[in-house]
Amino acid sequence: MLLDRVKPLDAILATAEKKSLHRSLGALQLTLFGIGCIIGTGIFVLTAAGAQKAGPGLMLAFIIAGAVCVVAALCYAEIAAMIPVAGSAYTYSYATMGEFLAWTVGWALVLEYAIAASAVSVGWSGYFSGTILQEFLGITLPPYLSAGPLALGGAPGGLINLPALVIALLVTWLLMIGTTESARVNAALVAIKLTALTLFMILTLPNADLAKFNPFLPAGVFGGFGTGVGAVGAAATIFFAYVGFDAVSTAAEETKNPQRNVPIGLIGSLLICTIIYILVAAGAVGSIGGQPIMGPNGVPFPAGSEELARQCAMPEYRDALVCSNEALAHVLRQIGYSSVGNLLGIAAFLALPSVILILLFGQTRIFFVMARDGLLPEKLSAVHPKWKTPYVVTAMTGAAVAVAAAFLPVGQLADIANAGTLYAFFMVAIAVMLLRKQAPDRQRSFRVPALAIIGPLTLAGCAFLFLNLPLAAMLVLPIWSVIGFLVYFGYSRR
């Protein structure tokens, strides 16, 4: 039987119960923590890709993605407080649905973390090439070194995204030799990001022209199955901008009055970030316009496509928001704030590598738990005698991330990463509902209110966004899963 190998919840909790976590966090601290975790890659990197899919409807897309995140976050909070151990959705699935489904979740998380790190690398490359090299050093990388064959906004004929390749390999090397980021450095980077976005809103919103928002939904609300366009298609892509909110739920065991404060922290941080995202989108679109470049059939060219790259190389579209690799800095330069735009570019340049590091570190953690459970070869978790780090799995992961970053566009990478994330959140919602039936008397420091409504809403929301991803991104997950099945039945199960 595929579903008969369930890891007992008591065994999973045995280690965690040995340690008593001090409850010290309040609602305000959780909210601020959530804002710091959420705001990062997505808003700096995906504004252009989202505008190409939805135009000014990008603002509605942020609302749709944020709403799905709210219900998913509540499910995540209950189970994270109940099973406060490493492994995330993989461990939760193992405790409720058995080894095989847990494997599929862990395999999807491996894809999510790796592709997400690639997307951040590509986003960093845009700010490095535009702000650091071009604006400050007067160096323009040739197209064949600054964009992959299908990179968003890159000239046709791009060969490799060299900066993205280099930053991915550099962060991998730092992880291998044992370099870690301190809490103070991370806090400083969060402050830099928030300051940069606040400045952006202050400078762009007064310049907003309502005429630039018309038509508001040039591709409609639903672009059609598999197209990935329209407000919902954009929401499926910019869901990436909210990834990180689950970090709030993992702090449930250290929260005072979690039944009250965890929902406030989760929903509060998501609402604040959604408002910031909407205002940033409004400032960008209202300042220089954000209409998508339409194809001959009246449908926007796919973000990251070769057709869009050709259009962006033309003089009439060269300065368009949807053609920029560093959207927010580009907007500020277009409205006469070049120096501030350069500062924002520097903020992204400084902050994004830490996100790559966290994503790569998170993936090695999932690998470790799966190897510990015997589902992956023990050699993958080999520790270097000098560096004291899991150098084998880190090197393998970093190489895959670097290759994807070198040749794929950021929009397509985000879509693929979201496919894995949405599947993991879908399974977490199922696990929460199953545990209510299987272990109703277990202590829960936080319980999802109205789970009979929130649970199905989470399932529907995740499935809804998944089905509005581009068809290619939807197909990646089942193809990756088939590879996972071969590994599981060929090695892991026995």
Side-chain angles (χ1 to χ4, degrees):
M1 292 289 293
L2 285 178
L3 306 179
D4 60 348
R5 301 169 75 165
V6 177
K7 194 171 186 178
L9 193 57
D10 288 329
I12 293 175
L13 293 172
T15 304
E17 288 175 354
K18 294 177 182 177
K19 296 183 178 180
S20 177
L21 298 174
H22 177 59
R23 297 189 182 276
S24 60
L25 300 176
L28 178 61
Q29 291 167 298
L30 275 182
T31 302
L32 293 175
F33 178 66
I35 293 170
C37 290
I38 296 167
I39 290 182
T41 314
I43 192 63
F44 286 104
V45 174
L46 292 175
T47 303
Q52 176 59 21
K53 290 170 178 279
L58 176 64
M59 299 162 66
L60 176 60
F62 278 122
I63 296 174
I64 295 170
V68 174
C69 285
V70 166
V71 290
L74 292 173
C75 293
Y76 222 106
E78 175 171 325
I79 202 164
M82 189 178 175
I83 312 177
V85 295
S88 184
Y90 160 75
T91 301
Y92 311 151
S93 301
Y94 213 155
T96 54
M97 291 172 276
E99 182 180 274
F100 175 67
L101 289 177
W103 165 266
T104 67
V105 173
W107 194 245
L109 287 173
V110 167
L111 176 71
E112 171 203 340
Y113 281 117
I115 297 299
S118 299
V120 181
S121 300
V122 176
W124 178 89
S125 171
Y127 282 94
F128 172 74
S129 300
T131 298
I132 305 302
L133 290 185
Q134 195 165 337
E135 295 294 327
F136 283 100
L137 301 178
I139 300 172
T140 301
L141 277 182
Y144 63 86
L145 291 181
S146 60
L150 297 176
L152 176 62
L159 179 64
I160 186 172
N161 192 328
L162 185 60
L165 176 76
V166 170
I167 191 63
L169 293 177
L170 180 61
V171 171
T172 300
W173 174 70
L174 290 174
L175 275 174
M176 286 176 63
I177 64 172
T179 301
T180 59
E181 58 176 1
S182 71
R184 288 182 180 178
V185 170
N186 197 48
L189 294 177
V190 170
I192 289 171
K193 289 184 289 188
L194 290 176
T195 302
L197 292 178
T198 302
L199 267 175
F200 181 86
M201 290 184 284
I202 291 172
L203 294 176
T204 57
L205 288 173
N207 289 290
D209 180 1
L210 290 179
K212 290 189 170 67
F213 292 92
N214 187 30
F216 185 71
L217 293 166
V221 177
F222 301 98
F225 175 79
T227 63
V229 300
V232 178
T237 295
I238 61 174
F239 182 80
F240 189 84
Y242 289 94
V243 171
F245 70 80
D246 53 306
V248 178
S249 67
T250 62
E253 287 291 312
E254 300 169 78
T255 301
K256 295 180 290 187
N257 191 6
Q259 191 66 26
R260 169 185 177 273
N261 291 336
V262 168
I264 291 175
L266 281 167
I267 297 174
S269 59
L270 284 166
L271 285 177
I272 290 170
C273 289
T274 300
I275 291 170
I276 291 173
Y277 288 169
I278 291 170
L279 292 176
V280 168
V285 172
S287 295
I288 67 170
Q291 295 296 333
I293 300 175
M294 294 291 194
N297 55 356
V299 176
F301 286 116
S305 67
E306 188 174 358
E307 296 90 343
L308 179 62
R310 273 197 291 266
Q311 295 292 321
C312 285
M314 296 181 179
E316 62 265 35
Y317 293 125
R318 194 169 293 154
D319 293 330
L321 174 66
V322 299
C323 290
S324 175
N325 287 321
E326 38 161 5
L328 303 189
H330 173 73
V331 169
L332 291 174
R333 293 191 194 109
Q334 290 296 307
I335 61 173
Y337 294 104
S338 295
S339 58
V340 182
N342 291 338
L343 289 175
L344 189 144
I346 293 173
F349 167 77
L350 292 174
L352 293 182
S354 70
V355 182
I356 304 170
L357 187 145
I358 292 168
L359 289 168
L360 283 173
F361 182 81
Q363 196 204 35
T364 58
R365 217 170 144 189
I366 296 293
F367 262 124
F368 256 125
V369 178
M370 295 176 77
R372 183 181 66 191
D373 289 338
L375 298 181
L376 289 172
E378 190 177 351
K379 290 181 180 179
L380 287 178
S381 58
V383 176
H384 194 277
K386 179 181 178 182
W387 299 333
K388 308 299 182 186
T389 59
Y391 69 105
V392 176
V393 70
T394 303
M396 290 173 56
T397 300
V401 166
V403 169
F407 297 106
L408 293 174
V410 66
Q412 290 180 2
L413 287 167
D415 287 337
I416 296 169
N418 287 346
T421 306
L422 289 166
Y423 176 67
F425 289 171
F426 186 92
M427 297 298 280
V428 165
I430 293 177
V432 170
M433 292 187 286
L434 284 176
L435 277 174
R436 285 283 185 96
K437 297 289 186 182
Q438 295 172 355
D441 299 325
R442 289 276 182 184
Q443 181 180 355
R444 291 169 170 83
S445 58
F446 170 73
R447 295 175 68 91
V448 178
L451 181 62
I453 298 173
I454 298 296
L457 273 178
T458 303
L459 299 179
C462 290
F464 180 63
L465 287 186
F466 180 82
L467 292 174
N468 279 278
L469 288 168
L471 183 60
M474 280 193 280
L475 291 176
V476 168
L477 184 62
I479 292 171
W480 177 250
S481 298
V482 168
I483 297 172
F485 296 160
L486 296 176
V487 176
Y488 178 77
F489 291 109
Y491 172 83
S492 304
R493 184 168 175 80
R494 67 175 185 269

